[in-house]
């Protein structure tokens, strides 16, 4: 079974530039998550999709971050414009959830963003 | 905001020794999960314990959960150099809006 795919693996940009990350979840997984992990900290949830609908984006800085999952499969996360404090690893995860209950989340390798 | 707080922040042991990491949290949970993260890689799920369970085993891993103290521990027995990684506890809560909240992690170094 293929895992969660993310690209690019690394990205270096100047502040105020734009950047986009791509994620392809495990086939059949309805729920997709984007996390931000700053060095030395645990992952922080940015946005959660169930199929192509947003379930939770309460911690997404909506003035500069946006995300979409148009066909309920792959997803893109965009930052425009980037700030120095956006330097982090952006992790995508997916799981198969049906109603309440807990399922394991499967993580991709992440995209390491450096903003100069 | 971070829910779980791991203790210690860093732990260094010799191969063959046991490693114990603790996690405390603040609000009620559905379950608690432990994940491992090797340097520069994504997170890998290790084990899940539900709020009505007290102990769970998986290979060399043993997890306990005390909901009255809002705490959990992860024990890795007979550690190996390959166990070197960061370990995160994540609390799962919510119903239809179920989500995980991660702690800051414990960096475990196993010296050969």
């Amino acid at each position: 079974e293929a895992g969660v795919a993310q690209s690019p693996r690394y990205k270096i940009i100047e502040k105020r530039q734009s950047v986009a990350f791509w994620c392809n979840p495990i086939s059949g997984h309805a729920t997709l998550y984007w996390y931000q992990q700053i060095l030395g900290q645990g992952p922080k949830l940015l946005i959660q999709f169930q199929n192509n609908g947003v379930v939770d984006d309460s911690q997404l800085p909506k003035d500069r971050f946006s995300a979409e999952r148009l066909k309920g499969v792959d997803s893109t996360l965009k930052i425009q414009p980037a700030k120095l404090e956006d330097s982090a690893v952006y992790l995508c995860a997916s799981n198969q959830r049906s109603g309440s209950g807990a399922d394991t989340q499967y993580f991709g390798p992440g995209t390491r963003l450096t903003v100069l | 905001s971070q829910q779980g707080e791991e203790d210690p922040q860093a732990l260094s042991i010799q191969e063959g020794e046991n490693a114990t990491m603790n996690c405390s949290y603040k609000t009620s949970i559905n379950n608690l999960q432990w994940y491992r993260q090797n340097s520069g890689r994504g997170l890998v799920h290790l084990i899940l314990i539900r709020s009505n369970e007290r102990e769970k085993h998986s290979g060399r891993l043993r997890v306990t959960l005390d909901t009255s103290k809002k705490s959990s521990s992860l024990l890795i027995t007979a550690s190996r150099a390959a166990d070197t990684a960061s370990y995160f506890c994540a609390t799962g809560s919510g119903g239809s809006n179920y989500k995980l909240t991660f702690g800051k992690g414990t960096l475990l170094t196993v010296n050969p």
Side-chain angles (χ1 to χ4, degrees), chain A residues 1-6 22-27 29 92-94 106-109:
Chain A
E1 178 184 77
V4 176
Q6 289 188 249
W22 175 82
C23 172
N24 191 33
I26 292 173
S27 178
H29 280 192
C92 180
S94 69
Y106 297 86
F107 283 80

Side-chain angles (χ1 to χ4, degrees), chain B residues 1-5 24-29 69-71 91:
Chain B
S1 62
Q2 309 228 257
Q3 159 85 301
E5 292 292 336
S24 60
Y25 57 92
K26 298 175 182 175
T27 62
S28 62
I29 62 173
K69 295 181 179 178
K70 290 187 169 58
S71 67
T91 52

Side-chain angles (χ1 to χ4, degrees), chain A residues 9-81:
Chain A
R9 290 294 312 277
Y10 305 91
K11 191 72 177 178
I12 300 174
I13 61 172
E14 302 274 338
K15 61 183 179 183
R16 291 187 289 273
Q17 286 187 323
S18 303
V19 64
F21 313 125
W22 175 82
C23 172
N24 191 33
I26 292 173
S27 178
H29 280 192
T31 309
L32 184 148
Y33 311 81
W34 283 102
Y35 290 88
Q36 180 193 57
Q37 185 178 20
I38 292 173
L39 185 65
Q41 297 184 20
K44 181 184 83 170
L45 179 67
L46 292 176
I47 189 167
Q48 176 183 346
F49 291 94
Q50 180 79 8
N51 297 309
N52 61 349
V54 175
V55 174
D56 184 353
D57 63 356
S58 58
Q59 298 194 89
L60 186 74
K62 298 180 186 65
D63 58 333
R64 298 184 299 104
F65 286 64
S66 64
E68 59 183 13
R69 193 184 184 199
L70 293 176
K71 296 182 179 179
V73 181
D74 56 349
S75 175
T76 55
L77 175 70
K78 297 179 182 177
I79 307 175
Q80 180 179 12

